[in-house]
Amino acid sequence: MKIKGTCKRCGREFFFEQAIAAGGRCPWDGESFNADYAVVLIEAMRHAEEAGTLLEQALEDIAAMRPAFTLDASSVQAKTQASIAALNKNLITQG
């Protein structure tokens, strides 16, 4: 899974892999996304992409088996959507 974000400072989009390669910094303005927890952030970004890839593949595998059940999308997406909503809050004072 390729996760894309937007820097809250410069407003430019980036992929997690770019931020990881930049040492937890915005690949465009060079500022740290979290100076106090850069190593932890990088590891969490890696885990998110890896876990997303595993989830996508597992769901594709399940769908390919054509099982006699459906999925409740909210059971898969609810916590993810809540985390994304929390990340989308603008916590940086601009101007």
Side-chain angles (χ1 to χ4, degrees):
M1 173 181 282
K2 301 286 185 191
I3 299 175
K4 183 172 35 172
T6 302
C7 178
K8 291 180 179 179
R9 285 180 302 275
C10 71
R12 293 186 66 185
E13 292 182 344
F14 65 93
F15 286 99
F16 272 20
E17 63 190 25
Q18 292 174 297
I20 291 167
R25 297 178 176 277
C26 173
W28 310 117
D29 69 17
E31 295 292 322
S32 178
F33 286 120
N34 189 315
D36 295 331
Y37 297 100
V39 173
V40 177
L41 177 63
I42 290 168
E43 190 67 16
M45 293 169 89
R46 279 190 185 116
H47 287 162
E49 287 203 327
E50 292 167 359
T53 298
L54 287 172
L55 178 59
E56 286 176 337
Q57 185 59 56
L59 292 174
E60 287 174 14
D61 292 347
I62 292 168
M65 290 182 243
R66 302 179 70 182
F69 63 80
T70 62
L71 285 183
D72 176 358
S74 67
S75 71
V76 177
Q77 300 170 340
K79 285 191 176 191
T80 302
Q81 289 173 334
S83 295
I84 291 169
L87 283 165
N88 286 337
K89 291 180 182 176
N90 192 350
L91 303 177
I92 294 177
T93 304
Q94 297 181 4

